[in-house]
Amino acid sequence: MRIVLVGPPGAGKGTQATRLAEKLRIPHISTGDLFRANISRQTELGKLAKSYMDAGELVPDEVTIAMAKDRMSQPDAEGGFLLDGFPRNVSQAEALDELLKTEGIKLDAVLDLEAPEDEVVKRIAGRRVCRKDSAHVFHVTYSPPEQDGVCDHCGGELYQRDDDSEETVRTRLEVYHTQTEPIIDYYRAQGLVVTISAMGPVDEVTGRALEALKSGQ
C-alpha cells in the first residue's frame, strides 16, 4: 500500500506510522528522517537543506520533494510506503501526484488521524522529560512520576521542554490548520481520505487504522 499519514501535532502520528509500517511491511518515510539521513551522508540535497536550516529558514518544497523522490525510488519502497510529514501543504501534494503519475503509480489512501484540539494540547503540554536522560518521559496526567518533578528511573529532574508549552503547541496547531489541513480536502476530492479517531490506547488506534485501511471507510 501507498499511504500518506496526516493529523495534528500530538495525534500520535510518529507512533502509529512506525506500527502501521511494520504491520503492512512497508517503509516508514518521514520528513525528519529524510533530512537527517541526507545531512549525515552529506548528499548534495542534505548540504542544501542544511544551509537553509542553519539560516533559520524553512527548507524549500523542491528540496523536500527531491529527497522524497529519491527515497521512494529505493528498492524497499517498490511494494509501497507510508509517508509521514510529507506532503505538508497542497503544493507538495500536487507535486507528489505528478511524481507518482510519472512513475505510473498512485496513492491507495490518506489516513487522517483525528483528535480534539484541547486533547492535543493536554497531551503535549503535560509531557515532562528527564534532564539526565531524555528517553525517560512522563505525563502529569497519563503517566505521572511517583514523586512530582523527579524521574522514577534515575532521580533526575523532570522539566517541560519549550516546544511542549501550551503557547507553542497552539502555535503549531495554527500552522497545521493553515498549511497542512487543506491537503485533507485536496485528497478527499480524490476519494482517498480515511478518517479515524486517534483517541484511546495505542493498540486500539492501530487496529482501528488497519481496519479502516482494509475497508476503505
Side-chain angles (χ1 to χ4, degrees), residues 20 33 37 49 51 53 64 73 78 81 87 96 113 119 133-134 144 155 174 183 210:
L20 291 170
D33 289 344
S51 70
M53 295 165 73
T64 305
S73 68
E78 287 182 1
F81 48 75
L96 177 60
L113 298 182
E119 177 61 26
D133 188 340
S134 60
E174 184 60 30
I183 72 173
L210 289 170

Side-chain angles (χ1 to χ4, degrees), residues 1-198:
M1 293 189 78
R2 297 177 178 88
I3 304 166
V4 167
L5 184 64
V6 296
K13 290 192 303 299
T15 298
Q16 292 304 325
T18 300
R19 294 167 67 89
L20 291 170
E22 182 179 343
K23 296 281 187 182
L24 297 170
R25 298 182 181 179
I26 54 178
H28 167 208
I29 303 175
S30 78
T31 306
D33 289 344
L34 288 177
F35 286 164
R36 283 187 287 272
N38 278 273
I39 290 172
S40 67
R41 297 202 311 268
Q42 296 190 333
T43 66
E44 290 305 311
L45 288 171
K47 292 176 183 177
L48 188 56
K50 190 173 187 299
S51 70
Y52 284 99
M53 295 165 73
D54 287 347
E57 300 175 11
L58 287 175
V59 178
D61 285 353
E62 56 265 28
V63 177
T64 305
I65 292 163
M67 287 184 181
K69 178 180 180 180
D70 176 67
R71 181 64 184 88
M72 289 186 291
S73 68
Q74 295 178 23
D76 68 335
E78 287 182 1
F81 48 75
L82 189 152
L83 296 174
D84 169 20
F86 174 81
R88 71 168 182 248
N89 55 46
V90 173
S91 294
Q92 289 188 359
E94 292 172 340
L96 177 60
D97 278 352
E98 287 300 314
L99 174 60
L100 297 179
K101 187 177 180 180
T102 61
E103 300 296 323
I105 57 179
K106 61 181 182 178
L107 292 175
D108 294 298
V110 174
L111 182 61
D112 171 29
L113 298 182
E114 202 170 58
E117 187 161 311
D118 286 345
E119 177 61 26
V120 166
V121 172
K122 184 177 179 180
R123 283 185 181 185
I124 299 178
R127 284 196 298 225
R128 297 294 183 270
V129 182
C130 177
R131 288 194 186 277
K132 286 186 178 180
D133 188 340
S134 60
H136 300 158
V137 181
F138 297 83
H139 193 282
V140 295
T141 302
Y142 304 124
S143 55
E146 291 182 5
Q147 183 180 344
D148 189 34
V150 179
C151 177
D152 292 351
H153 307 289
C154 66
E157 177 193 358
L158 300 181
Y159 75 106
Q160 182 187 54
R161 298 183 307 181
D162 291 341
D163 284 351
D164 291 344
S165 71
E166 181 172 343
E167 182 180 358
T168 302
V169 175
R170 291 197 182 278
T171 299
R172 289 168 60 196
L173 283 167
E174 184 60 30
V175 171
Y176 171 76
H177 291 319
T178 57
Q179 294 187 13
T180 304
E181 200 169 44
I183 72 173
I184 297 174
D185 285 336
Y186 174 82
Y187 283 124
R188 185 174 285 120
Q190 300 179 34
L192 292 173
V193 176
V194 177
T195 301
I196 67 161
S197 170

